[in-house]
Amino acid sequence: MRLSLLATVVLGVTAVPLAARADETCNSPYMSGLIKGQEDFLYVWTLGEKGVGDGFDKLVTMDVNPASKKFGRVIGHVSVGKRGEAHHMGFTDDRRFLWAGGLDDSKIYVFDVHTNPAKPKLVKTIDDFAKRSGLVGPHTFYALPGRMLIGALSNDKDRGGVTGMAVYNTKGDFIAKHAMPTTNGGDGYGYDIAINPSKNAMLTSSFTGAVNYMTDLGKLIKDPAAMKQFGNTMVMWNLKSMQPEKVLNVPGAPLEIRWSLNEGDEWAITATALTSKIWLVKKDASGAWQAKDVATIGDPAKVPLPVDLSITADGKGLWVNTFMDGTTHYFDISNPEAPKETYSKRTGSQVNMVSQSWDGKRLYVSSSLLANWDKKGADDEQFVKLFAWDGKELKETFKVDFAKLKLGRAHHMKFGAAGAKVSADARQGAARLAGR
């Protein structure tokens, strides 16, 4: 019954209009219509660091409205009282609550960001994710109508790369688990999730298990056996049935997935971390989904490690951050079959996440990847930077030093808006999540 209920929910929304906004990173199309105007706040999910501040993971709030007197400043933070390798987060379909996870302890935190967007409040902690799903390392939080789809990186048996996805309702109740395929070419690995409702298509990508991502990067790279434990596939799923339909061979750990935001486009882009390639996922002349290597990012021999992507609203431009060389790249993808790098800038000693402002005129960059993968010494910068983009050049607008402020390691970013109205339903939802 639970699986059929989920299918009914997804079936009820077969086409979702995409808002004419830039890619905020890892957003579900089911809430794209709620994105409008100027972002006022930047929420940063931050890894705690032992001996730095309280040492715990926290949600940091920054004021990012240029008209504000506090523009470019941290205006608050909520500590979760634990250090569990904070990594990614995602909004519910109504954008009222923000779910955030820990890759090490597998705890999930739900923040109310609607009642007072300037002051998020922790209203629920889900601490039985592994027990209920058999998975660990909740990574991608992807909104479905009335549901949250969570892509995990590992499992609680051997903490290897074979994993799956879990479905929760927005109250925080576990509903179902979907295993990543291990037959017909599937390697069982998982990472990102991206949905195109109009094509009844859901794409997943693949990374590595907890044993690897919790190991020091320098040690990991020197271990040939460990380096073989990375995913080399993407999976095309039937969204309505939540069943895998085709396994695509994409060697080198394909990470973030972005469907083109241009209405009518029917293709997606990913980048492979270990081989520094851009791959295009598109139907061929016969109507079958295929994955194709279409461009190279940097010099693969130097392992630039492409990590995050952000696609422009018109589907013609792609931002790519490469962690090891601290570079932000821009590709012209007006012809997605042949992307061309037209601009690059070193934006830090190490850079990870990249998110465009809602109007596409600004670019936010954060620094941290994983606690054990970040650089050492002077290169271990921890920041959030904002750049203005005029179509030709990135110009730094501000830099917030998270290390200096003792806030930890800045990773994933999401936007908030002050103009959101507080409804009775929102208050009731907050109270329900808080258990009142």
Side-chain angles (χ1 to χ4, degrees):
M1 179 176 292
R2 287 178 175 179
L3 289 176
S4 62
L5 175 62
L6 174 63
T8 300
V9 170
V10 176
L11 268 167
V13 185
T14 57
V16 176
L18 293 174
R21 304 289 170 183
D23 174 43
E24 186 180 329
T25 298
C26 305
N27 266 347
S28 163
Y30 294 104
M31 62 177 183
S32 61
L34 301 178
I35 299 173
K36 58 187 68 176
Q38 162 71 51
E39 67 274 8
D40 296 299
F41 307 111
L42 183 71
Y43 305 125
V44 187
W45 189 218
T46 305
L47 294 71
E49 188 173 4
K50 189 175 182 179
V52 177
D54 65 8
F56 301 140
D57 297 347
K58 54 183 63 68
L59 185 68
V60 176
T61 302
M62 294 176 56
D63 188 319
V64 294
N65 190 320
S68 172
K69 293 180 180 179
K70 297 181 179 179
F71 174 64
R73 290 165 53 185
V74 170
I75 58 174
H77 57 81
V78 181
S79 176
V80 300
K82 302 284 184 180
R83 185 169 62 252
E85 193 69 37
H87 204 67
H88 277 204
M89 52 187 172
F91 289 106
T92 51
D93 63 336
D94 57 8
R95 216 176 165 90
R96 291 174 174 173
F97 297 95
L98 189 57
W99 291 41
L103 289 185
D104 188 23
D105 64 6
S106 295
K107 292 185 182 297
I108 297 170
Y109 302 96
V110 182
F111 297 92
D112 174 4
V113 293
H114 180 78
T115 303
N116 186 346
K119 296 182 179 180
K121 183 178 181 181
L122 178 62
V123 294
K124 188 178 183 69
T125 300
I126 300 172
D127 56 11
D128 62 352
F129 178 75
K131 180 180 179 181
R132 298 304 302 272
S133 68
L135 307 172
V136 297
H139 176 268
T140 300
F141 296 86
Y142 206 88
L144 296 173
R147 300 287 185 265
M148 182 64 78
L149 181 60
I150 304 174
L153 298 187
S154 193
N155 66 80
D156 68 347
K157 292 183 178 180
D158 63 8
R159 292 174 67 81
V162 176
T163 186
M165 299 176 289
V167 182
Y168 281 72
N169 63 27
T170 50
K171 293 188 295 182
D173 302 320
F174 175 78
I175 295 176
K177 171 189 174 181
H178 301 278
M180 293 294 176
T182 54
T183 58
N184 298 319
D187 53 22
Y189 287 38
Y191 184 78
D192 199 17
I193 300 168
I195 288 174
N196 185 331
S198 67
K199 306 309 308 179
N200 186 34
M202 179 173 73
L203 266 175
T204 57
S205 54
S206 55
F207 184 44
T208 193
V211 172
N212 269 4
Y213 67 67
M214 292 304 296
T215 297
D216 179 83
L217 182 59
K219 179 180 178 181
L220 179 66
I221 291 174
K222 296 177 182 178
D223 185 341
M227 290 301 293
K228 293 179 181 179
Q229 304 303 312
F230 282 83
N232 293 293
T233 62
M234 297 179 73
V235 181
M236 182 62 74
W237 300 69
N238 183 305
L239 176 61
K240 296 176 183 178
S241 66
M242 297 295 286
Q243 294 297 311
E245 290 193 330
K246 185 172 185 177
V247 175
L248 303 169
N249 182 40
V250 184
L255 298 184
E256 309 292 344
I257 310 166
R258 303 288 176 262
W259 286 99
S260 174
L261 299 178
N262 186 44
E263 189 172 356
D265 283 353
E266 299 175 358
W267 50 266
I269 288 280
T270 191
T272 49
L274 303 183
T275 55
S276 300
K277 298 288 186 179
I278 293 176
W279 285 73
L280 175 68
V281 179
K282 185 180 180 181
K283 286 186 176 180
D284 61 19
S286 68
W289 290 105
Q290 305 291 350
K292 180 182 179 182
D293 168 6
V294 291
T296 299
I297 308 164
D299 181 357
K302 297 180 180 179
V303 194
L305 196 62
V307 278
D308 195 24
L309 312 175
S310 184
I311 198 166
T312 58
D314 60 6
K316 295 182 179 180
L318 181 73
W319 293 100
V320 183
N321 267 359
T322 47
F323 177 78
M324 294 303 290
D325 58 9
T327 301
T328 299
H329 310 254
Y330 183 80
F331 284 82
D332 177 349
I333 56 171
S334 53
N335 177 6
E337 301 275 356
K340 296 180 180 179
E341 183 170 349
T342 58
Y343 177 82
S344 67
K345 182 183 183 75
R346 191 172 189 270
T347 50
S349 61
Q350 57 185 11
V351 295
N352 194 345
M353 305 305 291
V354 54
S355 293
Q356 295 173 75
S357 59
W358 286 338
D359 62 7
K361 296 179 180 179
R362 296 171 303 285
L363 203 70
Y364 297 85
V365 174
S366 65
S367 55
S368 181
L369 175 52
L370 292 160
N372 290 325
W373 288 28
D374 285 354
K375 295 182 178 181
K376 306 295 192 296
D379 285 338
D380 186 20
E381 291 184 297
Q382 296 302 332
F383 61 77
V384 166
K385 291 182 179 181
L386 176 65
F387 295 88
W389 172 245
D390 61 5
K392 297 180 180 180
E393 176 68 26
L394 286 175
K395 296 181 180 180
E396 186 175 317
T397 302
F398 68 64
K399 172 184 176 181
V400 176
D401 189 331
F402 274 51
K404 184 177 180 179
L405 294 176
K406 298 183 179 180
L407 293 173
R409 300 175 177 272
H411 187 68
H412 205 189
M413 302 173 287
K414 290 291 186 183
F415 301 143
K421 294 181 180 179
V422 181
S423 67
D425 288 343
R427 294 191 183 95
Q428 291 170 6
R432 186 167 58 249
L433 281 168
R436 297 195 293 273

